[in-house]
Amino acid sequence: MSGGPAVRVSIESSCEKQVQEVALDGTETYVPPLSMSQNLAKLAQRIDFSQGSDSEEDGAEGEPRDREWGKQEQEEEEGTVKFQPSLWPWDSVRNNLRSALTEMCVLYDVLSVVKEKKYMALDPVSQDPTAGKTPQVFQLISKKKSLAIAAQLLVKGAEKLSKSVTENQENRRQRDFNSELLRLRSQWKLRKVGDKILGDLSYRSAGSLFPHHGTFEVIKNTDIDLDKKIPEDYCPLDVLIPSDLDGSAYIKVSIQKQAPDIGDLGTVNLFRRPQKNKGSMQPWHVKLEAAQNVLLCKEIFAQLSREAVQIKSQIPHIVVKNQIISQPFPGLQLSISLCHSTSGEKKNNRASPEKSKPDNHLYVLEHNLHQMMREFHKQQLSSVVMPHPATAPFGHKRLRLAGPLAYDKTEISNLQQSEGLLEKIIKQAKHIFLRSRTARTIDSLASRIEDPQIQAHWSNINDVYESSVKVLITSQGYEQICKSIQLQLNIGVEQIRVVHRDGRVITLSHQEQELQDFLLSQVPQLPSKVFNFWSSFLAVRSKSCRRATSSRTPSGATSEGRTKRSTGARWRDETSSTRWSCSWLHSLPVLR
Amino acid sequence: MEAPPVTVMPVTGGTINMMEYLLQGSVLDQALDSLLHRLRGLCDSMEPETFTDHELVYLLKGQQGNPFILRARRSLSHPNTPWHLRYLGQPEVGDKSRHALVRNCVDVATSHSLPEFLNEMGFRMDHEFVATGHMFRKGAMKIVVSKLSRILVPGNTENTERLSLSYLVELSVLAPAGQDTVSEDMRSFAEQLKPLIHLEKIDPSKQRH
């Protein structure tokens, strides 16, 4: 409102407390205002519960006083229909309470009457089928609605669950890749180049000098269909190995009789070794191990072929395709071949019948080749190579001494490694062959000869270049009496050394016939020993012995002895002659 | 008697033309363990080799400006090994893009009378120090982690005092002249050691104040 200065209007509550008394000194004592509950009680007292909107209908139950009031109220009602006193908000409360009280009284009365069962009885009310039709439909509809709501809730819950399950699976696959990668890293060398993960499966860090890079790549296996069931051997990680290390390989070492036609050489038949895939190993582990094995076999073969070409020997070694052929002994052929079957050739090999043939493959030599290669690697890395002092160049320790100690050429060449892989393996093959042939000779003789028994005790602990066997020639029944012939045979690379029990040392060459002849010469010595024993035995018993003659016959030995026996006082000349003959074709010496 | 013919042509070939490719860096003492772990993983799998060496640097002062430096080194942990005499030439000022320091290097193994021999030849010992540490190798690369100590009393290798609180790391390859792929391999190996240590080529001539 425009105009003069604003007028300050102050509003004060006018509800002043009533003065109860005024004291003599002027202080006023107010009536304490009513509290909330007191106020409410005061208002409630003003409600007349006997008055109700339906009190006219239930006039018979009302009290006479109320009736009076009711009439008065009616008159007031008609007159003051427009005016709403403050009591009227409580009207609905009063009416509801009154009707509730009425209902309760009625129910109580009915129940007490029914309890007595004299005036009232309860009977089940028969359902009127026609009357419930519309309620049933209504029931159906309401049930359908509630079911629909419940179904919706369940469907929503199921959706959420399935979503979380798929998410979990995705996460698991992701986590699986990482955990597989962790496992891979714990066993193989990996490094990250850009966004690729590369690994190294070569033996270079273990001392190999083979110039193959040996790099493999680790990739995620994403060719998986989420809708289909995940296969049992699913692995989220896959490795890509270099193509030339694919498949599996092994080195086949075999000895056979000399092939008549040297032009008949060709690629050795490759037959695939059955791969034992243990279920516990990861597929990438199997793949990587196979590739590493192929690499090692290639390195071994490369080293052998290099040596075969470089080293000068009396009979040159032949290197043809994947085979190295050499002649350890005349008439014998040693062939070392690298058999590499790639996975693409699987189908071809199924058809080949070579699978069942063992093909006289010397597994021991193959194992030794692997072992020697690894030893060579280890030697490259040995601490002997690390220079002391630190600034000196790498190289063999002893070679550095060549300068200060003024070695000459022969001494330096002695320091260098003398024997190569090929020479070593040829020596081992020679020894194996000689040993097996010696065993065969001894066994054939032992089975042929019955009279003195030939036994062979092979020692368990052997060297790659030397084995030993003890050959005993005994006669049945005479083992303790006359010491049997014991021969110790030391089988070396090219020779057999025989040590006799009496100290003689004889060296035999690798010829089979020599050994056989030598053993055959040892056998008749036994019967003559037995004979010597018997003759000495008899000679002790007789007091005098005229003559004992023994002679050797082509089939054995015969001996005659005359003994004289005298007893008692009178000389009685008795001569007895014994004639023995024994031959090594009969079992017992025959006394005649 | 005629003197035997002496060749006046410079000797070429053999070990004379070996070049040393070098990268250097340093780590503090606290970081040594992690560096050794890293190197054990990266390098050839061998037992880690420790060494203790005593190096003497000999100078031959000629009439010209630069003295001729020879380094004589012996192992204190393996006293029976021969002494090692080393000559290191000036770094090659080839293309700047080469990642490693390249210099001519001549290594000779000698007997134990080397110091006397050098003294007789006219060399004078400039300084000496003791180096202890670890050696690793990866193929042809040699990684040497060494702690240098100063010798307080000349000739007494027991009484030493550390020069710094860090370790010197050197990555070196000895190769014939002309092989530049070596520096590439060295650089890629040095990349793998980052950020533990930064190996770089440090020109010794630029260090002199």
Side-chain angles (χ1 to χ4, degrees):
Chain A
M1 300 280 273
S2 59
V7 176
R8 288 192 65 178
V9 178
S10 51
I11 299 175
E12 271 182 14
S13 66
S14 63
C15 70
E16 287 178 353
K17 301 177 198 139
Q18 280 194 345
V19 178
Q20 197 177 18
E21 82 171 282
V22 179
L24 287 171
D25 53 359
T27 52
E28 296 168 344
T29 319
Y30 296 104
V31 174
L34 292 174
S35 68
M36 269 279 282
S37 48
Q38 283 176 342
N39 213 5
L40 195 63
K42 184 170 141 199
L43 287 173
Q45 272 176 355
R46 288 162 80 178
I47 300 175
D48 189 6
F49 280 97
S50 58
Q51 278 294 317
S53 50
D54 42 2
S55 65
E56 303 99 57
E57 294 152 28
D58 301 338
E61 292 178 281
E63 286 177 26
R65 191 167 60 88
D66 292 343
R67 229 181 282 139
E68 278 179 26
W69 275 105
K71 281 189 188 149
Q72 268 191 358
E73 287 281 341
Q74 267 180 19
E75 287 168 1
E76 279 185 16
E77 268 183 50
E78 285 162 4
T80 60
V81 74
K82 284 185 186 164
F83 176 66
Q84 301 270 341
S86 60
L87 267 183
W88 291 120
W90 293 101
D91 186 49
S92 61
V93 173
R94 180 192 58 192
N95 290 339
N96 286 339
L97 281 173
R98 271 204 83 215
S99 56
L101 176 63
T102 314
E103 296 290 332
M104 285 306 290
C105 291
V106 166
L107 185 62
Y108 173 71
D109 291 336
V110 166
L111 282 174
S112 50
V113 166
V114 161
K115 228 168 96 172
E116 280 189 35
K117 289 190 193 168
K118 251 204 299 193
Y119 305 108
M120 234 198 272
L122 288 175
D123 269 333
V125 178
S126 65
Q127 294 281 343
D128 192 6
T130 52
K133 221 180 217 170
T134 28
Q136 249 193 6
V137 170
F138 177 69
Q139 268 179 31
L140 215 63
I141 291 171
S142 66
K143 269 191 188 159
K144 195 174 165 188
K145 237 187 178 175
S146 52
L147 278 173
I149 291 171
Q152 217 178 26
L153 275 172
L154 285 172
V155 161
K156 233 195 277 184
E159 256 180 38
K160 270 194 191 167
L161 212 64
S162 67
K163 221 194 292 182
S164 77
V165 161
T166 46
E167 251 180 43
N168 216 13
Q169 268 190 351
E170 264 305 310
N171 280 354
R172 211 169 354 112
R173 204 164 297 119
Q174 278 295 105
R175 264 186 281 132
D176 259 356
F177 174 74
N178 288 335
S179 62
E180 283 291 317
L181 191 63
L182 210 68
R183 236 186 288 179
L184 179 66
R185 196 160 161 234
S186 68
Q187 297 179 24
W188 297 88
K189 273 188 158 183
L190 296 177
R191 65 178 194 273
K192 203 165 160 76
V193 172
D195 56 349
K196 287 200 289 186
I197 303 174
L198 298 177
D200 182 20
L201 55 76
S202 73
Y203 280 96
R204 244 176 318 163
S205 59
S208 158
L209 299 173
F210 199 51
H212 195 281
H213 55 89
T215 316
F216 65 91
E217 192 182 334
V218 179
I219 52 173
K220 223 189 246 195
N221 198 358
T222 47
D223 60 345
I224 186 73
D225 213 347
L226 278 170
D227 298 330
K228 298 191 192 144
K229 184 173 173 283
I230 300 166
E232 283 297 318
D233 54 352
Y234 167 69
C235 192
L237 204 133
D238 204 7
V239 287
L240 282 178
I241 51 179
S243 54
D244 53 346
L245 300 181
D246 198 19
S248 67
Y250 64 96
I251 301 223
K252 185 172 138 185
V253 184
S254 65
I255 296 181
Q256 57 239 35
K257 291 279 180 280
Q258 177 125 36
D261 186 7
I262 210 163
D264 200 18
L265 300 170
T267 319
V268 174
N269 261 329
L270 320 167
F271 75 91
R272 190 188 166 90
R273 267 211 198 126
Q275 267 199 335
K276 302 172 282 183
N277 185 8
K278 298 168 213 159
S280 58
M281 287 226 280
Q282 315 289 337
W284 41 260
H285 194 70
V286 171
K287 242 187 183 177
L288 289 172
E289 272 195 0
Q292 204 176 43
N293 189 36
V294 172
L295 188 59
L296 185 67
C297 290
K298 283 196 167 191
E299 188 180 347
I300 293 174
F301 194 75
Q303 171 95 353
L304 288 172
S305 38
R306 193 178 36 234
E307 284 174 17
V309 171
Q310 284 176 353
I311 293 172
K312 299 185 187 63
S313 71
Q314 287 161 342
I315 305 169
H317 315 286
I318 305 170
V319 180
V320 169
K321 285 189 199 176
N322 68 334
Q323 210 179 11
I324 299 172
I325 298 172
S326 76
Q327 281 197 339
F329 290 126
L332 206 66
Q333 184 174 298
L334 169 75
S335 98
I336 304 171
S337 40
L338 170 68
C339 304
H340 182 189
S341 61
T342 54
S343 43
E345 290 181 22
K346 218 197 273 192
K347 289 171 198 159
N348 294 342
N349 278 343
R350 287 268 163 82
S352 74
E354 307 282 340
K355 253 190 173 172
S356 50
K357 204 162 69 163
D359 207 8
N360 68 348
H361 177 176
L362 291 167
Y363 293 100
V364 176
L365 290 182
E366 182 194 348
H367 167 77
N368 284 355
L369 271 174
H370 280 253
Q371 214 174 24
M372 285 196 281
M373 196 74 223
R374 291 291 298 122
E375 216 178 285
F376 174 70
H377 290 170
K378 202 167 159 197
Q379 236 178 16
Q380 292 296 110
L381 279 188
S382 70
S383 60
V384 173
V385 178
M386 280 307 246
H388 284 268
T391 47
F394 291 131
H396 206 262
K397 186 169 78 167
R398 271 187 242 136
L399 214 53
R400 290 192 65 232
L401 289 171
L405 298 181
Y407 287 166
D408 56 7
K409 192 173 171 200
T410 48
E411 283 178 36
I412 291 177
S413 57
N414 287 345
L415 283 179
Q416 311 279 0
Q417 267 201 325
S418 49
E419 259 186 5
L421 208 61
L422 186 65
E423 288 185 0
K424 280 192 192 159
I425 207 70
I426 288 178
K427 274 170 73 169
Q428 287 182 16
K430 278 178 167 178
H431 173 70
I432 285 178
F433 176 74
L434 200 58
R435 184 175 65 191
S436 62
R437 199 162 61 177
T438 308
R440 217 176 39 232
T441 312
I442 295 175
D443 289 342
S444 68
L445 269 182
S447 57
R448 211 158 37 108
I449 300 168
E450 288 168 16
D451 180 11
Q453 287 87 38
I454 302 177
Q455 301 162 35
H457 296 291
W458 289 86
S459 72
N460 280 331
I461 302 169
N462 290 326
D463 190 42
V464 274
Y465 300 134
E466 198 170 317
S467 309
S468 78
V469 59
K470 200 162 192 142
V471 177
L472 302 172
I473 306 176
T474 56
S475 198
Q476 198 183 21
Y478 293 91
E479 291 95 350
Q480 293 299 319
I481 296 166
C482 45
K483 290 292 176 196
S484 49
I485 298 172
Q486 293 176 7
L487 303 167
Q488 172 96 14
L489 270 73
N490 282 343
I491 304 167
V493 173
E494 279 171 1
Q495 294 173 336
I496 304 173
R497 212 169 64 126
V498 184
V499 179
H500 212 274
R501 194 158 162 264
D502 49 13
R504 281 180 291 157
V505 175
I506 302 161
T507 311
L508 303 169
S509 79
H510 64 267
Q511 305 276 356
E512 189 180 356
Q513 195 60 37
E514 243 183 82
L515 177 66
Q516 199 171 23
D517 291 341
F518 175 73
L519 285 175
L520 282 175
S521 73
Q522 290 298 305
V523 165
Q525 300 205 4
L526 182 63
S528 64
K529 283 195 182 210
V530 173
F531 156 73
N532 283 339
F533 160 70
W534 274 109
S535 61
S536 64
F537 173 66
L538 284 174
V540 160
R541 283 201 55 182
S542 70
K543 295 237 166 108
S544 67
C545 172
R546 287 276 174 83
R547 210 160 48 159
T549 57
S550 71
S551 60
R552 226 183 168 84
T553 59
S555 64
T558 51
S559 70
E560 276 183 41
R562 282 168 210 260
T563 61
K564 198 169 180 189
R565 196 167 158 229
S566 351
T567 57
R570 274 186 287 172
W571 272 96
R572 267 174 78 188
D573 209 342
E574 265 183 47
T575 58
S576 60
S577 75
T578 57
R579 176 187 260 264
W580 301 349
S581 81
C582 56
S583 66
W584 54 270
L585 285 176
H586 299 297
S587 52
L588 283 168
V590 176
L591 284 162
R592 267 188 251 148
Chain B
M1 271 262 276
E2 267 186 37
V6 173
T7 173
V8 295
M9 297 300 292
V11 180
T12 54
T15 55
I16 298 293
N17 264 352
M18 299 296 271
M19 310 298 276
E20 188 204 28
Y21 294 77
L22 181 69
L23 284 177
Q24 288 172 315
S26 75
V27 282
L28 292 175
D29 282 350
Q30 302 95 304
L32 177 72
D33 279 335
S34 38
L35 178 66
L36 290 180
H37 275 294
R38 194 77 181 258
L39 284 171
R40 272 189 83 170
L42 287 172
C43 297
D44 289 348
S45 45
M46 280 166 59
E47 289 304 312
E49 189 90 2
T50 56
F51 69 91
T52 311
D53 288 345
H54 172 210
E55 180 156 335
L56 304 94
V57 179
Y58 284 87
L59 289 182
L60 180 70
K61 286 199 175 73
Q63 295 89 359
Q64 298 96 323
N66 288 348
F68 187 71
I69 304 174
L70 277 184
R71 298 171 173 272
R73 193 157 173 143
R74 65 164 170 150
S75 174
L76 293 173
S77 49
H78 293 67
N80 295 330
T81 52
W83 283 61
H84 178 231
L85 184 66
R86 189 166 229 218
Y87 163 72
L88 293 167
Q90 294 298 318
E92 269 193 25
V93 279
D95 46 290
K96 294 282 158 60
S97 65
R98 211 181 284 158
H99 305 285
L101 189 75
V102 185
R103 50 192 183 179
N104 191 16
C105 171
V106 180
D107 292 297
V108 179
T110 69
S111 58
H112 293 260
S113 51
L114 183 63
E116 295 88 19
F117 175 78
L118 288 173
N119 279 328
E120 293 291 324
M121 291 287 284
F123 287 84
R124 292 288 164 257
M125 192 187 78
D126 185 44
H127 60 274
E128 58 181 346
F129 58 88
V130 168
T132 60
H134 306 261
M135 272 197 289
F136 300 88
R137 73 174 290 184
K138 185 175 170 73
M141 292 194 283
K142 191 199 309 186
I143 301 104
V144 178
V145 179
S146 55
K147 182 126 191 111
L148 305 175
S149 315
R150 189 202 348 223
I151 292 181
L152 300 167
V153 176
N156 185 5
T157 53
E158 306 296 320
N159 212 357
T160 58
E161 175 205 343
R162 282 177 168 191
L163 274 175
S164 68
L165 295 169
S166 53
Y167 278 77
L168 173 69
V169 180
E170 289 172 310
L171 168 65
S172 61
V173 177
L174 262 185
Q179 280 185 11
D180 273 338
T181 52
V182 171
S183 57
E184 287 300 319
D185 294 336
M186 288 173 74
R187 191 181 71 86
S188 56
F189 186 77
E191 289 287 317
Q192 295 186 20
L193 284 177
K194 287 182 178 173
L196 268 179
I197 178 170
H198 289 271
L199 291 170
E200 52 207 6
K201 70 173 178 182
I202 299 169
D203 201 353
S205 53
K206 295 194 182 114
Q207 297 292 313
R208 302 221 182 92
H209 311 295

